Amino acid sequence: MRLLVVEDETRIAEIVRAALMRGGFAVDAVRLCADAREALATNPYDAAILDLGLPDGDGLKLLKEIRADRNAVPVLVLTARDAVEHRVAGLDAGADDYLIKPFAMAELVARTKALLRRPGGALGVTLTSGNLAFDTIGRDVRIDDKTLMLPRREAAILEHLMRRVGRVVPKALLEEKLYGLDDELESNAIPVHVHHLRRKLMEGGANVEIHTVRGVGYLLVDSA
């Protein structure tokens, strides 16, 4: 899943981005309303985390613009404004959740995942195919009763494939979802990750296979 963090305090943005990446997300971080507008217009985000006090404008106004554009991306407001009327204003403007600074990183990650588990959201609880199971909340992959350890991006690729079992997942979509604006993306990055993932699934005894659809993307099939 790909997230957008809109936070002008560099240190907070770095900590938030690192915590979310450890939670299995690809994360873009911007500090201005203008940058957030451009990012939202050009990238398919699964959720956004929005500070309200930004250098070039009010995050609340930006949130209203997002909703006026009929963009339904889930938005978690992250702010020091702790009065009840501020929380109500944020929710009325279209926020899906509200977290007051200071906050625990574990709670931020948990609230983000909860947003994505809501109806229509990007996260389910457990995905299964053949003898393979993926707990998308705990990021735990199992083949039968054995845990399969996967790096973050291999796990993300597997999640996308398991959400679309029997359907082709375009390579371009994987690149969009797995890599943020600041990440370096080499042309063979996805094929290399898929190669390693395919080998680990085979060695672990999974009865699913990843097929390459040349020039398009990848397909997960149950080979049981």
Side-chain angles (χ1 to χ4, degrees), residues 5 74 102 104 150 168:
V5 173
L150 294 175
V168 176

Side-chain angles (χ1 to χ4, degrees), residues 48-65:
I49 296 172
L50 175 65
D51 184 31
L52 297 186
L54 300 170
D56 64 337
D58 186 359
L60 196 61
K61 181 180 178 182
L62 173 62
L63 177 56
K64 291 178 180 178
E65 292 175 6

Side-chain angles (χ1 to χ4, degrees), residues 11-81:
R11 181 58 179 158
I12 293 178
E14 289 175 349
I15 295 172
V16 167
R17 184 171 185 267
L20 291 168
M21 288 179 68
R22 287 195 300 272
F25 300 104
V27 185
D28 295 333
V30 300
R31 62 183 302 272
L32 301 176
C33 290
D35 294 336
R37 291 189 189 97
E38 182 179 355
L40 287 164
T42 56
N43 298 288
Y45 292 105
D46 296 293
I49 296 172
L50 175 65
D51 184 31
L52 297 186
L54 300 170
D56 64 337
D58 186 359
L60 196 61
K61 181 180 178 182
L62 173 62
L63 177 56
K64 291 178 180 178
E65 292 175 6
I66 292 170
R67 296 309 184 220
D69 289 340
R70 298 188 178 182
N71 188 334
V73 61
V75 175
L76 169 61
V77 166
L78 194 64
T79 181
R81 303 177 189 177

